[in-house]
């Protein structure tokens, strides 16, 4: 529900101040008219009250209709324009205002001596929910008894008296767009993009645009340079590590190929097969190792000569050696050209070589 707080005195006979206490701190007992009936309520005013009022004011300042104060809660002509709300310990919610020339004169001359705010109230928590979405945010008054809500507010009944909580759930939000705008403003403040004071300024939209652009562009040039230097160092280290890993894989592949040559799986003199297997092991990992270990061994390929008991290989051993080298060379070519596994390439190469010899 929306209420009018008790009127706050405005010193007469002095120049109108640019700020005043909008709501006094602590628990305030005021009289509100709800549904046409006066009701005494307690309103708790604290630092959180100032934050909620400021967030709502920022939304209204960003809208197409500027918020204002009036005279005697009658609407119509403006007595001033609210600029910001802030919390002052020991005093309460202080409002910064630009009074109109007429209002300044009325306050200085003592024509008006009090200010009465208008706000939305939570009956359960006894706290201020925020500002009204439309209409004046309060006004200059004289009679303290006018603290009771008058019939003038009935013009915005849907805004002033939101639906009560139904038994089966919370009420529907009567203005989801306004709620979203408030949430956006609160998020901007929480993210540090705008301060409470900046939210109330006319340049708030431009500040948001500039600061979001700066964040998108990487922020401060010095910070960007530091980040770029860090990224360059990381990229350099990644390149070094990749080179180290590649070298380690190549060394491991060479060891495995040397072992295969010694075991008679690869001809010692077949440089092309040795290179192909070294590259395959470096790139292929475990699959290439399994393929290498699956190759049949031949004593004729043993570079130590341990497979032969004679000083020189026999004609049969020489022929087997030549055939094995031919099959190995052909298998290497087939594996490279057809992208087959070496086992499949070996079978195809062996069939080709034997068929050629038989012909």
């Amino acid at each position: 529900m929306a209420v009018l707080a008790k009127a706050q005195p405005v010193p007469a006979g002095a120049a109108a101040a640019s700020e005043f206490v909008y709501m006094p701190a602590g628990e305030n007992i005021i009289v509100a008219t709800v549904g046409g009936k006066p009701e005494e309520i307690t309103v708790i005013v604290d630092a959180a009250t100032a934050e909620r009022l400021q967030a709502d004011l920022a939304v209204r300042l960003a809208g197409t209709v500027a918020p204002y104060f009036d005279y005697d809660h009658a609407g119509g002509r403006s007595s001033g324009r609210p600029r910001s709300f802030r919390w002052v310990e020991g005093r309460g919610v202080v409002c910064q205002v630009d009074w109109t020339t007429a209002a300044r004169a009325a306050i200085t001359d003592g024509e008006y001596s009090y200010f009465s705010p208008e706000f939305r109230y939570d009956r359960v928590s006894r706290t201020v929910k925020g500002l009204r979405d439309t209409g004046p945010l309060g006004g200059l008054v004289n009679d303290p008894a006018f603290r009771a809500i008058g019939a003038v507010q009935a013009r915005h009944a849907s805004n002033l008296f939101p639906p009560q909580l139904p038994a089966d759930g919370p009420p529907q939000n009567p203005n989801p767009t306004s709620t979203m705008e408030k949430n956006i403003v609160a998020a901007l403040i929480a993210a540090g993009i705008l301060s409470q004071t900046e939210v109330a300024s006319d340049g708030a939209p431009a500040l948001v645009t500039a600061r979001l652009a700066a964040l998108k562009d990487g922020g401060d040039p010095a910070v960007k340079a530091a980040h770029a230097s860090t990224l360059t160092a990381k990229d350099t280290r990644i390149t070094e590590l990749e080179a180290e890993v590649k070298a380690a894989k190549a060394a491991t592949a060479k060891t495995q190929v040397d072992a295969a040559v010694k075991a008679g799986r690869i001809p010692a003199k077949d440089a092309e097969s040795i290179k192909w297997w070294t590259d395959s092991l470096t790139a292929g990992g475990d699959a290439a190792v399994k393929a290498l270990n699956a190759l049949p061994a031949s004593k004729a390929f043993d570079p130590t000569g341990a497979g032969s008991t004679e000083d020189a290989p026999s004609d049969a051993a020489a022929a087997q050696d030549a055939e094995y080298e031919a099959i190995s060379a052909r298998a290497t070519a087939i594996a490279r050209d057809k992208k087959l596994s070496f086992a499949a390439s070996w079978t195809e190469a062996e069939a080709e070589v034997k068929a050629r010899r038989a012909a």
Side-chain angles (χ1 to χ4, degrees), residues 5-339:
K6 65 181 180 181
Q8 298 302 312
V10 179
S18 61
E19 63 177 32
F20 64 95
V21 176
Y22 186 80
M23 292 181 182
E27 293 189 1
N28 298 271
I29 298 176
I30 64 174
V31 177
T33 300
V34 182
K37 297 179 180 180
E39 179 180 336
E40 185 176 271
I41 60 175
T42 299
V43 181
I44 299 173
V45 178
D46 53 21
T49 305
E51 292 180 2
R52 287 190 290 271
L53 292 176
Q54 177 59 34
D56 284 359
L57 178 62
V59 173
R60 291 199 57 176
L61 286 171
T64 55
V65 179
Y68 70 102
F69 297 140
D70 64 0
Y71 297 89
D72 300 317
H73 297 293
R77 66 194 185 103
S78 169
S79 62
R81 301 287 180 178
R83 292 303 178 193
S84 68
F85 291 109
R86 61 188 176 90
W87 177 254
V88 177
E89 197 65 39
R91 296 181 66 193
V93 179
V94 172
C95 177
Q96 184 179 22
V97 60
D98 291 336
W99 296 114
T100 63
T101 301
R104 284 183 179 277
I107 294 171
T108 302
D109 295 342
E111 183 180 352
Y112 280 95
S113 301
Y114 297 91
F115 182 88
S116 181
E118 299 184 30
F119 54 93
R120 292 181 296 116
Y121 175 70
D122 188 325
R123 187 195 302 274
V124 176
S125 64
R126 302 186 302 170
T127 58
V128 177
K129 294 177 65 176
L131 297 173
R132 299 171 52 184
D133 294 333
T134 61
L137 306 185
L140 292 175
V141 298
N142 268 322
D143 187 356
F146 195 76
R147 68 190 65 177
I149 295 178
V152 65
Q153 294 188 356
R155 278 178 284 183
H156 297 293
S158 63
N159 184 38
L160 299 176
F161 301 98
Q164 295 298 313
L165 185 67
D168 57 348
Q172 297 297 315
N173 184 356
N175 193 346
T177 301
S178 176
T179 298
M180 181 179 69
E181 291 173 347
K182 294 175 184 176
N183 291 339
I184 291 174
V185 170
L188 290 173
I189 294 172
I193 294 175
L194 285 181
S195 67
Q196 288 279 6
T197 302
E198 290 171 336
V199 166
S201 69
D202 293 336
L207 283 174
V208 172
T209 300
R211 287 171 184 173
L212 289 179
L215 288 174
K216 184 178 180 181
D217 191 42
D220 184 85
V223 176
K224 289 172 61 178
H227 288 172
S229 177
T230 300
L231 290 175
T232 300
K234 288 182 178 180
D235 289 342
T236 300
R237 183 54 183 156
I238 289 172
T239 301
E240 292 173 352
L241 290 173
E242 288 176 344
E244 291 175 7
V245 170
K246 185 175 181 180
K249 287 183 177 181
T252 300
K254 183 179 184 306
T255 299
Q256 293 168 333
V257 169
D258 289 345
V261 170
K262 186 174 181 179
R265 291 189 175 91
I266 301 175
K269 299 179 181 180
D270 190 348
E272 185 176 2
S273 292
I274 291 174
K275 182 180 183 307
W276 187 87
W277 273 110
T278 300
D279 293 343
S280 297
L281 290 168
T282 300
D286 292 341
V289 173
K290 290 180 180 179
L292 178 63
N293 293 336
L295 292 178
S298 172
K299 292 182 179 181
F301 288 177
D302 186 351
T304 66
S308 174
T309 57
E310 301 177 4
D311 293 337
S314 63
D315 292 342
Q320 184 183 13
D321 191 0
E323 179 178 303
Y324 201 89
E325 287 191 16
I327 294 172
S328 179
R330 180 58 184 150
T332 300
I334 292 173
R336 181 182 61 248
D337 297 339
K338 295 186 177 182
K339 308 299 182 184

